[in-house]
Amino acid sequence: YLGIFALVTLLAVAVAFLMSRRLQRGLTEPLDAMAVLARAIVTRRDYSLRVEKTSDDEIGVVVDAFNNMLEEVGIRSSALESANRALEDSNRALTEEVEVRKSTQAALDVATARLDSTLAAAEIGTWLWDIEKNDFTADKNLTALYGLDEHALNGSPDLHYGHIHPGDLEAVQ
């Protein structure tokens, strides 16, 4: 009886070992392969890697879903990288444009200051007339020539006309 018991026990252990190997090949190995691949993807950021499908059962479906997910993540990652490159290019171009505008504004400020000092030295006054709004704006040189406050001529052109010699008024108008 002891021999039969030992034989049945040995046979049961052998069958259990074979079944565990089959389960390991069918279940654990694909899951381990996905885990190893996931670590490689995180490390290298290479979404072209795939897990090899070894069966068409539930684990095969999980492997297919994992590979399809990697495909989608790869596509979206590529699109995101392209968008980031385009955004960086756009930011670089905008930064360059801002620098050009700043230098242009600085040059304009220098030219305006030079013109203002030249007009003041020559005692020349200037003015702008917005015809649509019928708004007259005189610079400080023109108001100084008339002996008025800086903003005394701003507004209606009639304010300016009131300071023109009557003999010259028709020609100015």
Side-chain angles (χ1 to χ4, degrees):
Y1 290 113
L2 196 56
I4 294 173
F5 175 72
L7 185 63
V8 169
T9 303
L10 189 60
L11 189 60
V13 168
V15 168
F17 177 75
L18 291 175
M19 288 181 71
S20 73
R21 288 295 298 154
R22 184 168 181 225
L23 281 174
Q24 184 176 6
R25 266 186 276 128
L27 184 65
T28 307
E29 286 178 3
L31 293 176
D32 285 343
M34 284 192 299
V36 167
L37 189 75
R39 282 189 206 97
I41 290 169
V42 167
T43 303
R44 294 187 280 177
R45 300 197 55 82
D46 180 4
Y47 297 104
S48 66
L49 301 175
R50 299 291 180 266
V51 176
E52 182 180 341
K53 182 178 175 182
T54 57
S55 67
D56 289 324
D57 58 3
E58 291 83 5
I59 296 300
V61 171
V62 170
V63 169
D64 280 340
F66 183 76
N67 287 335
N68 290 339
M69 178 194 68
L70 289 177
E71 176 88 22
E72 184 65 26
V73 168
I75 290 169
R76 291 180 185 208
S77 176
S78 176
L80 186 59
E81 287 172 6
S82 295
N84 281 340
R85 279 192 300 276
L87 185 60
E88 288 171 1
D89 292 345
S90 176
N91 282 343
R92 196 173 306 111
L94 285 173
T95 300
E96 290 171 6
E97 184 177 331
V98 166
E99 291 304 316
V100 167
R101 286 182 182 211
K102 283 181 180 178
S103 66
T104 303
Q105 184 62 47
L108 179 62
D109 291 343
V110 168
T112 301
R114 210 178 270 156
L115 176 63
D116 286 345
S117 66
T118 302
L119 290 173
E123 294 184 349
I124 297 173
T126 63
W127 50 270
L128 296 172
W129 179 27
D130 184 339
I131 296 172
E132 288 181 9
K133 295 179 184 176
N134 197 32
D135 187 42
F136 184 89
T137 306
D139 70 352
K140 62 183 176 183
N141 293 336
L142 185 61
T143 55
L145 288 173
Y146 288 138
L148 302 171
D149 291 336
E150 188 172 332
H151 301 289
L153 296 177
N154 294 348
S156 170
D158 294 332
L159 293 172
H160 179 239
Y161 297 152
H163 296 281
I164 303 292
H165 187 276
D168 295 329
L169 185 58
E170 187 177 328
V172 171
Q173 287 176 330

